[in-house]
Amino acid sequence: MQVPQVLLLPGWQNSGPGHWQTEWERLHGDQRVEQHDWMRPLRGDWSARLDEVVADSPAPVLLAAHSLGCILTAWWAAHSRHTAKVRGALLVAPGDVEQADVAAWIPGWAPIARERLPFPAVLVGSRNDPYCRLERAQVLAGDWGARFVDLGACGHINAESGLGAWPEGRALLQTLVKD
């Protein structure tokens, strides 16, 4: 079995120093899917870029998404012809673009695609995430057919959460490739 390439899907404004995605890129050689505009994300542009990277990958892929990257994953999966290349997705702290304050910062991303994902997924939520209530994250996990993991009170599960390389998250990602 070919080892999957991990594609990192950051959210709005990208993932900076101290973010677990940046640490995974440095430690494990994961590939960040670079977007044209991190500050003014356009759903169609971001989805087209993800489709291009997945299609061009010589290996199967695992998606490790954070925040808006989770919403991108669901939208892309509902529209792409390349989903068979995805072995699984780790969806961390989805940004609720249907929440009024988030929608104001990131217009054009609602409604959230609610179709069941065509690959295994784990969604990790936090009890005090300002961008997605825990109950809402649980509903999204159910809609997407993802296993839900409650990480406790970890904010937006980003650099400010102090997780560093977040080995527990890496272990969750690895569960997606086990038979």
Side-chain angles (χ1 to χ4, degrees), residues 81-158:
R81 295 174 303 160
H82 302 289
T83 58
K85 289 188 83 171
V86 178
R87 295 293 176 261
L90 178 66
L91 308 168
V92 181
D96 186 357
V97 295
E98 294 175 353
Q99 186 176 301
D101 57 341
V102 177
W105 298 324
I106 309 170
W109 282 77
I112 296 171
R114 298 300 188 97
E115 290 85 355
R116 184 177 185 86
L117 296 173
F119 39 76
V122 174
L123 190 150
V124 182
S126 168
R127 293 181 174 270
N128 61 343
D129 186 340
Y131 307 113
C132 187
R133 293 182 339 275
L134 184 72
E135 299 77 19
R136 179 73 161 165
Q138 291 170 321
V139 168
L140 291 173
D143 290 345
W144 295 337
R147 180 168 66 94
F148 183 77
V149 174
D150 178 348
L151 202 59
C154 286
H156 194 46
I157 314 177
N158 55 10

Side-chain angles (χ1 to χ4, degrees), residues 8 16-30 32 163-166 170:
L8 302 171
H19 194 288
W20 59 268
Q21 286 183 318
T22 302
E23 291 299 308
W24 288 10
E25 187 175 34
R26 182 179 63 81
L27 293 170
H28 307 291
D30 298 344
R32 183 181 307 244
L163 299 171
W166 193 32
R170 193 71 183 192

Side-chain angles (χ1 to χ4, degrees), residues 62-63 87-90 120-122 171-179:
L62 282 171
L63 305 176
R87 295 293 176 261
L90 178 66
V122 174
L172 286 171
L173 179 71
Q174 294 306 315
T175 67
L176 295 166
V177 292
K178 293 182 180 171
D179 291 325

